[in-house]
């Protein structure tokens, strides 16, 4: 079955630590996205990538980094510079030829301990 | 700054009634409009897409688009407790790759 896989489902980070969230898709989609969602809030765009080896900052990129070395993979690193990283992180992808419909992974819940 | 606005709710509707969810958007050039449902702790799932003015029906769901007034709505007929969720409105943004998201409306269906 085609889809998007995020791992891990739950992640705990210590103060000052970098952590990496994985996102893999087998939908052959060109575009991939990372969103952050805080309780009771909507989706805020962190980074997006339209093509391999290229990515753009979203609205809240500070304290995060990404890479896009393969079409299928778009990992997100939450660095120690992100002072309030506790949130629900969602990875999504779109096929631009299907009018922007976004497919989501199951999400990663990150907690600072 | 392109925006999508939704009433955060919660919107409480009796079981079996019609739930009406509304969304307004600021960019007159928007072409694609989506409604996603998100259960607590889960990822959003697409339930309706609409691209032209008028109504689009799919089972108990009807999406309505009015580009002149810049709003899109979602009607849920014969509401069920399983419809209780947050409903997110999304509108295409600056390019074919980005969606602008509303903050969502929390819907509660009371048995």
């Amino acid at each position: 079955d085609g889809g998007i896989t995020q791992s891990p489902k739950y992640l705990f980070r210590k103060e000052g630590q970098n952590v990496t969230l994985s996102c893999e898709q087998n939908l052959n989609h060109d575009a991939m996205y990372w969103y952050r969602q805080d309780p009771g809030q909507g989706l805020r765009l962190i980074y997006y990538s339209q093509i391999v080896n290229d990515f753009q900052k979203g609205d809240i990129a500070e304290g995060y980094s990404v890479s896009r070395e393969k079409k299928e993979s778009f990992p997100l690193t939450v660095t120690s510079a992100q002072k309030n990283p506790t949130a629900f992180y969602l990875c999504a992808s779109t096929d631009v030829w299907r009018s922007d419909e976004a497919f989501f992974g199951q999400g990663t819940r990150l907690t600072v301990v | 700054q392109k925006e999508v606005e939704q009433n955060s709710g919660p919107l409480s509707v009796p079981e079996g009634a019609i739930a009406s969810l509304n969304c307004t958007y600021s960019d007159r050039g928007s072409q694609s409009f989506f409604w996603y449902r998100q259960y607590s702790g889960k990822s959003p799932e697409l339930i309706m897409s609409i691209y032209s003015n008028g109504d689009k029906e799919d089972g108990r769901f009807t999406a309505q688009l009015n580009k002149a007034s810049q709003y899109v709505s979602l009607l849920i007929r014969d509401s069920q407790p399983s419809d209780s969720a947050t409903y997110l409105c999304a509108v295409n943004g600056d390019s074919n790759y980005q969606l602008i998201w509303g903050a969502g409306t929390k819907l509660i269906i009371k048995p």
Side-chain angles (χ1 to χ4, degrees):
Chain A
D1 287 336
I4 300 178
T5 301
Q6 285 186 244
S7 62
K9 188 173 181 180
Y10 300 97
L11 185 58
F12 298 91
R13 191 193 94 167
K14 295 181 179 179
E15 294 283 351
Q17 192 178 45
N18 292 354
V19 292
T20 298
L21 284 59
S22 171
C23 179
E24 303 276 336
Q25 56 101 354
N26 61 2
L27 299 166
N28 200 34
H29 286 174
D30 289 308
M32 297 186 73
Y33 313 77
W34 275 105
Y35 293 97
R36 169 178 172 146
Q37 189 175 36
D38 293 284
Q41 304 296 314
L43 303 179
R44 292 190 290 168
L45 183 64
I46 304 173
Y47 269 98
Y48 67 100
S49 169
Q50 302 175 3
I51 197 170
V52 173
N53 292 324
D54 186 57
F55 47 83
Q56 307 295 327
K57 292 182 179 180
D59 300 320
I60 56 165
E62 185 175 351
Y64 301 97
S65 66
V66 293
S67 63
R68 188 86 185 277
E69 297 177 0
K70 299 185 300 181
K71 187 176 185 179
E72 301 80 16
S73 179
F74 191 41
L76 173 74
T77 296
V78 184
T79 74
S80 57
Q82 172 48 243
K83 298 305 179 187
N84 185 24
T86 295
F88 189 46
Y89 291 87
L90 287 159
C91 179
S93 70
T94 59
D95 177 348
V96 295
W97 306 113
R98 291 194 59 190
S99 302
D100 307 335
E101 176 187 349
F103 293 81
F104 286 87
Q106 71 270 39
T108 294
R109 189 164 300 280
L110 174 62
T111 304
V112 174
V113 296
Chain B
Q1 178 85 2
K2 296 180 174 63
E3 294 181 340
V4 174
E5 300 285 343
Q6 294 182 255
N7 188 321
S8 62
L11 174 65
S12 184
V13 173
E15 183 176 358
I18 296 175
S20 178
L21 304 164
N22 298 312
C23 170
T24 60
Y25 59 94
S26 62
D27 181 15
R28 283 195 171 274
S30 298
Q31 297 294 324
S32 307
F33 306 86
F34 305 90
W35 283 100
Y36 285 77
R37 178 177 62 200
Q38 187 178 24
Y39 292 114
S40 181
K42 303 295 184 182
S43 59
E45 56 179 330
L46 180 70
I47 53 172
M48 289 289 286
S49 59
I50 187 166
Y51 306 100
S52 55
N53 276 330
D55 295 359
K56 178 182 177 183
E57 187 174 318
D58 184 0
R60 296 187 296 112
F61 298 97
T62 299
Q64 299 175 319
L65 176 60
N66 184 322
K67 289 187 177 181
S69 300
Q70 295 177 243
Y71 81 79
V72 56
S73 61
L74 179 71
L75 302 178
I76 306 174
R77 290 182 298 282
D78 188 23
S79 296
Q80 303 296 309
S82 60
D83 294 326
S84 297
T86 296
Y87 289 80
L88 300 169
C89 175
V91 177
N92 77 323
D94 288 325
S95 71
N96 285 334
Y97 297 93
Q98 284 199 57
L99 292 173
I100 309 299
W101 294 86
T105 298
K106 185 174 183 178
L107 176 65
I108 299 172
I109 306 300
K110 292 188 171 182

